[in-house]
C-alpha cells in the first residue's frame, strides 16, 4: 500500500535501499565483501591419509552448521576415539560413515548469520582444526591448516590481518562460510 500511494504523487525512484534492520532507528548498514581464496595445485606425495573431499556451507552470509570430509588411506587406530573426544570437548557432534578405502566424517556445529559469527559454531573450521595435525597429503594439509590456523574461532579477522574497528559501526566481522575441496577440482574457501 505504501509504495503505491507514494507513486501516485511522486516520480518512481531510480533505485531503492531496504536495510536489513528493525524500525525505528537505522543509522547505517553493515557492508559485506566476499572473497574467494583459491589454493594452487600441489604435487601428490606419499602419505598415509588423503583428503579426498571437504565441503561445507550454503551461502556466503551463513556460518556453516555442517561440514563433511572424506578421508582415505590408513587412519590411526585411535582416530575415531580422538574424533569423538574432540567433538565432545568442542560442543559439536560428529558422525562417521565407512566408505571404500576410508571414512566420511560429518561434523555439526551451530549455524548462525555471518553478521555475528560468534553466535554459531562453524562446523567446517572445527572439522579442519581436528584433521589438520594428521599425516594428510600435501594439498589437503595446506587446505586444512589454512582453515585451522587462520579462520577457526576468529570472527574478527585478527589472524588474517584484516581486523578493523570503526567508531560508528564497530568491529569488522569475518566469517568463512563456503568450503569446497577435491583433489582434482576446486580447492576454495
Amino acid at each position: 500500500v505504501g509504495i503505491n500511494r507514494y507513486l501516485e504523487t511522486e516520480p518512481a525512484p531510480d533505485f531503492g535501499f531496504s536495510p536489513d534492520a528493525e524500525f525505528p532507528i537505522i543509522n547505517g548498514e553493515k557492508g559485506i565483501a566476499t572473497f574467494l581464496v583459491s589454493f594452487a595445485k600441489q604435487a601428490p606425495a606419499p602419505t598415509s591419509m588423503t583428503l579426498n573431499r571437504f565441503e561445507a556451507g550454503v551461502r556466503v552470509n551463513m556460518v556453516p552448521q555442517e561440514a563433511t570430509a572424506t578421508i582415505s588411506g590408513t587412519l590411526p587406530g585411535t582416530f575415531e576415539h580422538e574424533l569423538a573426544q574432540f567433538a565432545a570437548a568442542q560442543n559439536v557432534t560428529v558422525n562417521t560413515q565407512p566408505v571404500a578405502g576410508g571414512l566420511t566424517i560429518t561434523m555439526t556445529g551451530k549455524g548462525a548469520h555471518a553478521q555475528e559469527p560468534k553466535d554459531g559454531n562453524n562446523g567446517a573450521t572445527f572439522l579442519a582444526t581436528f584433521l589438520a595435525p594428521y599425516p594428510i597429503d600435501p594439498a589437503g594439509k595446506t587446505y586444512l591448516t589454512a582453515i585451522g590456523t587462520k579462520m577457526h574461532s576468529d570472527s574478527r579477522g585478527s589472524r588474517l590481518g584484516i581486523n578493523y574497528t570503526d567508531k560508528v559501526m564497530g568491529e569488522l566481522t569475518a566469517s568463512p562460510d563456503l568450503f569446497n575441496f577435491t583433489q582434482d577440482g576446486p580447492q576454495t574457501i
Side-chain angles (χ1 to χ4, degrees):
V1 175
I3 191 66
N4 293 331
R5 173 69 182 120
Y6 177 86
L7 293 174
E8 289 173 6
T9 61
E10 300 293 331
D14 293 330
F15 61 90
F17 172 73
S18 178
D20 186 14
E22 294 181 22
F23 185 80
I25 296 176
I26 302 164
N27 69 350
E29 177 79 2
K30 190 173 191 174
I32 186 168
T34 303
F35 299 94
L36 179 68
V37 179
S38 295
F39 293 78
K41 298 290 184 200
Q42 294 187 40
T47 57
S48 59
M49 297 168 64
T50 299
L51 177 65
N52 299 305
R53 183 175 59 92
F54 188 101
E55 58 188 14
V58 294
R59 289 194 175 80
V60 295
N61 66 345
M62 293 174 57
V63 173
Q65 177 171 315
E66 190 173 275
T68 302
T70 301
I71 304 286
S72 62
T74 306
L75 279 62
T78 59
F79 184 84
E80 289 194 63
H81 176 72
E82 291 168 2
L83 180 59
Q85 284 186 314
F86 176 86
Q90 300 301 323
N91 197 30
V92 295
T93 60
V94 67
N95 289 302
T96 59
Q97 179 70 40
V99 293
L103 189 68
T104 294
I105 305 157
T106 301
M107 190 162 285
T108 305
K110 178 184 174 196
H113 192 286
Q115 180 269 334
E116 184 47 82
K118 285 196 267 186
D119 290 344
N121 274 347
N122 190 322
T125 67
F126 277 98
L127 182 53
T129 298
F130 172 77
L131 291 172
Y134 287 92
I136 292 177
D137 65 278
K141 179 70 105 178
T142 298
Y143 187 79
L144 297 169
T145 300
I147 296 166
T149 61
K150 297 291 186 182
M151 301 171 190
H152 180 62
S153 295
D154 181 18
S155 64
R156 299 309 187 246
S158 297
R159 289 189 222 133
L160 289 170
I162 61 171
N163 54 310
Y164 179 78
T165 301
D166 179 82
K167 285 192 300 186
V168 175
M169 298 303 292
E171 294 178 297
L172 168 139
T173 53
S175 182
D177 298 324
L178 294 175
F179 301 80
N180 188 9
F181 176 97
T182 58
Q183 281 293 322
D184 298 324
Q187 297 178 0
T188 60
I189 302 170

